[in-house]
Amino acid sequence: MSISLTLGDITRVHADAIVNAANPHLAPGGGVCGAIHAAGGPQVAAECRAWVEAHGPVPPGGAAITGAGRLPARRVIHAVGPVWHGGGDHEAEILASAYRSAIALAEAEGLTSVAFPSISTGIYGYPVAAAAPVALRAVHEALAGTEHVRDVTFVLFDEPTRAAYERALAELGRSRP
Ligand code: ADP
């Protein structure tokens, strides 16, 4: 399985694409999104504005792709996760869809390596212990159908988040030998 976990700052990652935990209007905002826009510079925000002007807001579960400005990655994929409303509002379905949409855009551009943050588990409030297995399963299943995308890394920002993904990855390995 070509899924790996690492602790770190996704803005420093040299992948073909890094994924942003974006909001529907692709506005800079805070969290990993603020960090990506700060490091990428105004070019990323300008491309985001142009994308929304052309296509409208990105619905939760969807994604858009832009250049990466000054970031070391080649492209940024802006994926919109769900806001957590307690778990009864299709959050898991929407979260899985955000990961699948991001991988589909990378695949369509022939990209090989993609780095993800933990979408929705910051400002959007999704409990990480619940989000991690959804994220890993969605990526694992999507990779079964890709020709180009081979190498997915989750770049996790703090140790509790890394530990939650570690547990979920071990669980996924046990359920799918
Ligand atoms: P959301 O609004 O989707 O919840 P956030 O950016 O608030 O997105 O949080 C998503 C995750 O990204 C959280 O685990 C947060 O700690 C993490 N994060 C914040 N900055 C970075 C960064 N520079 N690199 C990787 N992950 C980050």
Side-chain angles (χ1 to χ4, degrees):
M1 193 158 69
S2 50
I3 300 179
S4 55
L5 310 178
T6 180
L7 192 63
D9 177 350
I10 203 166
T11 64
R12 305 174 76 98
V13 170
H14 292 249
D16 290 335
I18 63 167
V19 177
N20 181 17
N23 52 75
H25 287 92
L26 307 185
V32 69
C33 187
I36 285 171
H37 279 281
Q43 183 62 30
V44 179
E47 286 189 46
C48 282
R49 274 194 304 278
W51 200 95
V52 172
E53 270 165 33
H55 306 278
V58 180
I65 188 162
T66 67
R70 297 195 292 256
L71 289 159
R74 287 170 52 202
R75 308 283 277 157
V76 179
I77 297 172
H78 307 267
V80 181
V83 174
W84 179 256
H85 289 124
D89 204 14
H90 307 285
E91 290 95 332
E93 222 172 280
I94 296 166
L95 185 64
S97 172
Y99 283 96
R100 282 195 301 269
S101 299
I103 288 179
L105 285 176
E107 178 71 8
E109 292 210 2
L111 306 180
T112 301
S113 58
V114 180
F116 282 97
S118 177
I119 296 172
S120 283
T121 66
I123 297 162
Y124 277 8
Y126 205 128
V128 68
V134 173
L136 288 166
R137 187 170 295 270
V139 168
H140 181 78
E141 288 174 1
L143 286 180
T146 57
E147 251 176 61
H148 303 287
V149 182
R150 287 268 141 255
D151 166 19
V152 169
T153 305
F154 281 84
V155 182
L156 305 163
F157 205 49
D158 55 68
E159 181 49 34
T161 301
R162 197 200 59 78
Y165 276 75
E166 197 70 66
R167 279 192 294 276
L169 189 59
E171 189 56 46
L172 185 66
R174 277 195 291 277
S175 69
R176 296 172 176 239

